[in-house]
Amino acid sequence: MSIFDDWFDITTEVVNGHEYKAINITDDNVESAASDIAQVIPDHYIAPESIARTLERLGKPAAANKIRTKIPQTKRIRSGDLGEILGTEYIDSQTQYTVPIKKLRWKDHREMAMRGEDVIGIEVFGNGQRPRFLKTEAKSRAALGRQVLEDARLALDADDGRPAPHALAFVGDRLREGGDTELADVIDDVQLKDSIAKQQMEHLLFTFTGSNPNNLQKEILETYDGDIRQHAVGLRIKTHQKFIANVFEEVENGLDD
């Protein structure tokens, strides 16, 4: 079951031929949503197989400490990471795309942001059709400003609107290391043989905010004049900073249980 199934209200609007989704939560559901989201956080930082092996060899306290060393402590990094996690969960549960790797598992340091595209979604058909890609920018702000969205727009338009070659290669390499050679080969093919046509691309600008993102998100869609289909999502939780703190507190409490 998705974290979006129970606690969030999603409304859809067409803007300039593109899709905008506003996601809101009632005050009564904030605490329950934080608890559910906390359950998916560790999986974004460390593979379950790694935790299972540590649990088998060294016991629960060691496994908990292994997760704890991956969880960021600073407010800024927690905010950015949670925005990316929520964006990933949204793509996997609410779109036809799949996010093939959880990129935060490969962070250089828990207090550093990851480089490259925030999230890349892939749709593979398996019947001779070429794959499709969802290039995503995820932003988390207590108060959303126009400049944040303009910067995200520039990032989405970079590399002619396609995923950066190094970002796509990173995904392919991680898939191959994990044994998913079939999907890794799909990525090799589009990078080294077929290339990615504009018709294979879509963009997603995902925001997680305390302020109302609707007008700014719609403005970005209204002014877009490119030829790649756009999606925008504004997830609003008014108690943005408190909510982030509560989610990570729930994670820490779960490790101590």
Side-chain angles (χ1 to χ4, degrees):
M1 179 177 291
S2 162
I3 60 174
F4 291 94
D5 290 339
D6 291 326
W7 314 120
F8 295 98
D9 177 59
I10 303 176
T11 59
T12 304
E13 185 176 345
V14 176
V15 180
N16 190 26
H18 304 289
E19 185 179 79
Y20 175 63
K21 290 192 175 184
I23 304 179
N24 291 283
I25 187 170
T26 64
D27 292 342
D28 292 342
N29 288 335
V30 169
E31 186 175 337
S32 297
S35 295
D36 276 5
I37 291 168
Q39 299 303 309
V40 307
I41 296 292
D43 186 56
H44 282 265
Y45 288 106
I46 192 163
E49 298 84 0
S50 177
I51 292 302
R53 179 61 176 165
T54 302
L55 186 63
E56 178 186 353
R57 293 184 58 249
L58 303 175
K60 186 173 181 179
N65 284 335
K66 187 170 187 174
I67 298 172
R68 193 173 284 113
T69 61
K70 302 280 284 186
I71 303 297
Q73 300 300 304
T74 61
K75 292 181 179 179
R76 183 178 68 86
I77 298 299
R78 284 184 169 186
S79 176
D81 281 6
L82 187 55
E84 185 169 322
I85 289 168
L86 290 170
T88 298
E89 294 289 330
Y90 172 84
I91 293 168
D92 276 338
S93 67
Q94 305 296 316
T95 78
Q96 73 271 30
Y97 292 95
T98 298
V99 181
I101 67 166
K102 291 180 169 61
K103 195 178 70 172
L104 295 178
R105 293 177 183 176
W106 288 274
K107 290 179 68 171
D108 295 335
H109 189 284
R110 68 178 179 176
E111 304 301 347
M112 292 179 64
M114 285 288 286
R115 293 161 290 184
E117 267 85 53
D118 289 337
V119 186
I120 298 175
I122 303 177
E123 182 181 19
V124 178
F125 300 96
N127 57 0
Q129 293 187 59
R130 301 180 75 180
R132 294 177 58 81
F133 295 87
L134 182 68
K135 182 179 181 180
T136 302
E137 282 290 309
K139 301 298 179 185
S140 175
R141 296 290 190 278
L144 186 65
R146 182 174 286 103
Q147 189 61 53
V148 172
L149 295 186
E150 290 177 354
D151 291 344
R153 175 76 271 154
L154 290 174
L156 289 171
D157 290 340
D159 295 288
D160 203 22
R162 299 169 174 85
H166 67 274
L168 206 52
F170 179 87
V171 174
D173 288 344
R174 302 294 80 76
L175 287 169
R176 199 173 299 282
E177 290 169 359
D180 193 344
T181 57
E182 185 174 349
L183 188 51
D185 287 346
V186 169
I187 292 176
D188 275 356
D189 286 349
V190 299
Q191 284 208 286
L192 306 174
K193 185 181 70 171
D194 301 326
S195 75
I196 302 175
K198 288 286 184 72
Q199 293 79 7
Q200 294 172 257
M201 285 300 311
E202 293 187 320
H203 290 165
L204 169 62
L205 205 171
F206 182 98
T207 59
F208 164 46
T209 67
S211 61
N212 190 327
N214 295 345
N215 289 339
L216 289 174
Q217 281 276 43
K218 292 177 187 179
E219 180 182 299
I220 289 292
L221 289 179
E222 287 282 10
T223 56
Y224 178 73
D225 60 359
D227 51 3
I228 294 176
R229 179 166 175 75
Q230 302 295 303
H231 301 270
V233 171
L235 190 162
R236 185 189 187 191
I237 297 179
K238 295 177 183 179
T239 57
H240 179 269
Q241 292 294 302
K242 182 180 178 181
F243 184 81
I244 295 169
N246 288 346
V247 167
F248 281 94
E249 183 180 358
E250 289 270 0
V251 174
E252 296 283 356
N253 290 341
L255 296 178
D256 291 332
D257 287 344

